[in-house]
Amino acid sequence: MAGCAARVPPGSEARLSLATFLLGASVLALPLLTRAGLQGRTGLALYVAGLNALLLLLYRPPRYQIAIRACFLGFVFGCGVLLSFSQSSWNHFGWYVCSLSLFHYSEYLVTAVNNPKSLSLDSFLLNHSLEYTVAALSSWIEFTLENIFWPELKQITWLSTTGLLMVVFGECLRKAAMFTAGSNFNHVVQSEKSDTHTLVTSGVYAWFRHPSYVGWFYWSIGTQVMLCNPICGVVYALTVWRFFRDRTEEEEISLIHFFGEEYLEYKKRVPTGLPFIKGVKVEL
């Protein structure tokens, strides 16, 4: 996958992905088509078929692989907006859908702008891991079942709003971390130090040693608070806490190897930002 993005002219990935994301988001115009006489399902089927035909006409691999993913995420975002404004018990799920699609798309876009050398199709994080996929599916199933049997549980607006604020905070913090780190940010923990790798301690890195993890931590838990999912809310909190505990320790071993005493001093001054996680223990 990484090879696909590498053959696209440098600098064009961000523009291509943004154009096709907005193209997919044009599903927001679908209600206008239904008012014009098309039935909802018929209009949606025609819209999806037309989008795919247009992308196939305009783009060839590897640009098509970028375009179809960005367009899909734009489409999901647009559907989430429509669902958010629907008069149904699914409107908070619409908030979630918008948050999820924006997270995945913005991961690719910010990487394309900020660190194009590390850019690949994997930067969308759509194939993050089996565990991530299972967690997402579990939250959808829980929301659906509880919405059927206990619909009032899904209409606690103040709780969903709290979750939305957690998601917005987490998303903004993570993207701020990515922009601050610049080319030093990578979705994969590095085992070898590159010639351009520097220790970033300014901006949000002056608040937390791992601001991108802090952002993702609160974003992921916030999605379940937004959905009013009590089971997945607890499971997510425990699972992501354990994941980031192990991840920070793994990353800090590499950072100590790369920067030595400079990182150890930084580690003493600045917390991880993750609750009850102090990072790797250093034996003196």
Side-chain angles (χ1 to χ4, degrees), residues 56-195:
L56 286 169
L57 182 65
L58 293 176
Y59 304 112
R60 294 289 180 270
R63 295 173 67 87
Y64 176 78
Q65 281 89 339
I66 299 172
I68 193 65
R69 287 166 173 78
C71 188
F72 167 74
L73 290 171
F75 173 81
V76 173
F77 175 78
C79 290
V81 172
L82 293 175
L83 196 56
S84 297
F85 288 96
S86 66
Q87 300 299 317
S88 74
S89 58
W90 288 83
N91 60 328
H92 292 157
F93 192 82
W95 297 5
Y96 165 83
V97 168
C98 289
S99 303
L100 186 66
S101 56
L102 270 180
F103 170 79
H104 284 282
Y105 173 66
S106 62
E107 288 291 305
Y108 183 89
L109 179 64
V110 173
T111 303
V113 171
N114 217 35
N115 190 14
K117 288 184 178 179
S118 71
L119 186 69
S120 73
L121 293 179
D122 290 336
S123 300
F124 283 108
L125 299 185
L126 291 172
N127 57 341
H128 181 272
S129 65
L130 176 61
E131 293 81 2
Y132 183 84
T133 302
V134 169
L137 289 173
S138 298
S139 71
W140 304 347
I141 292 171
E142 180 182 352
F143 182 91
T144 301
L145 292 176
E146 290 173 353
N147 195 35
I148 292 172
F149 295 105
W150 303 284
E152 66 281 358
L153 180 63
K154 302 305 176 183
Q155 293 303 305
I156 309 175
T157 302
W158 69 266
L159 186 59
S160 291
T161 302
T162 300
L164 178 61
L165 292 174
M166 292 174 65
V167 164
V168 171
F169 166 77
E171 178 76 5
C172 290
L173 179 59
R174 181 169 171 84
K175 295 311 181 287
M178 293 175 71
F179 275 118
T180 302
S183 62
N184 296 288
F185 184 90
N186 200 297
H187 283 118
V188 179
V189 174
Q190 302 298 290
S191 58
E192 295 183 6
K193 183 178 182 290
S194 68
D195 294 336

